[in-house]
Amino acid sequence: MDKVNKDYRYSAEHEWVDSASPAKIGLSQIAVDALGDVVYVDLPEAGATVTAGEVCGEVESTKSVSEIYSPVTGTVVEVNESVVDDPATLNSDPYGSAWLFTVDVEAEGELLTPEEYAAAQDDDA
């Protein structure tokens, strides 16, 4: 569980969400490790509506391009421009300074506890 932050809940697609209001959204350490060196991040704009389980952005690494799925439904309040400007921050601090955006949550998607998320990753290994 060293790659799973116990303070967050997770989507099956590897996004995390905290319990703050507005809620911060980010990518798990497991997802970032699988991606490799992140070189580009495309995020929804502030004011945009995101829907739980639907694509809302993408992250590009030296290995591949992956879609970002929103774990919640609501309105984007803020985008972390420092991650857009320096995507490599995701590799060094995915649970801290490399949060992606915040959402004024109207509804949550199917979220896993840290233990459920970690167990799902162990099942995939």
Side-chain angles (χ1 to χ4, degrees):
M1 284 249 321
D2 60 326
K3 294 186 178 201
V4 178
N5 186 310
K6 295 179 183 178
D7 296 329
Y8 302 137
R9 290 180 296 148
Y10 297 84
S11 70
E13 292 81 17
H14 308 288
E15 290 79 17
W16 58 259
V17 59
D18 71 9
S19 58
S21 182
K24 282 185 181 172
I25 311 295
L27 291 179
S28 75
Q29 181 74 56
I30 292 168
V32 171
D33 287 351
L35 283 166
D37 294 331
V38 177
V39 297
Y40 176 76
V41 178
D42 181 36
L43 301 174
E45 295 182 11
T49 300
V50 292
T51 302
E54 292 190 8
V55 174
C56 63
E58 68 180 27
V59 59
E60 183 176 331
S61 72
T62 54
K63 292 182 184 179
S64 66
V65 176
S66 296
E67 295 177 324
I68 299 170
Y69 294 85
S70 181
V72 297
T73 297
T75 303
V76 176
V77 176
E78 182 182 5
V79 173
N80 188 349
E81 294 296 339
S82 66
V83 171
V84 173
D85 294 340
D86 184 11
T89 308
L90 269 169
N91 295 108
S92 60
D93 195 16
Y95 293 124
S97 63
W99 57 273
L100 300 177
F101 54 95
T102 63
V103 176
D104 187 7
V105 178
E106 296 171 14
E108 295 181 343
E110 292 185 33
L111 297 175
L112 306 171
T113 66
E115 295 76 18
E116 290 169 333
Y117 179 71
Q121 304 323 301
D122 291 342
D123 291 345
D124 291 345

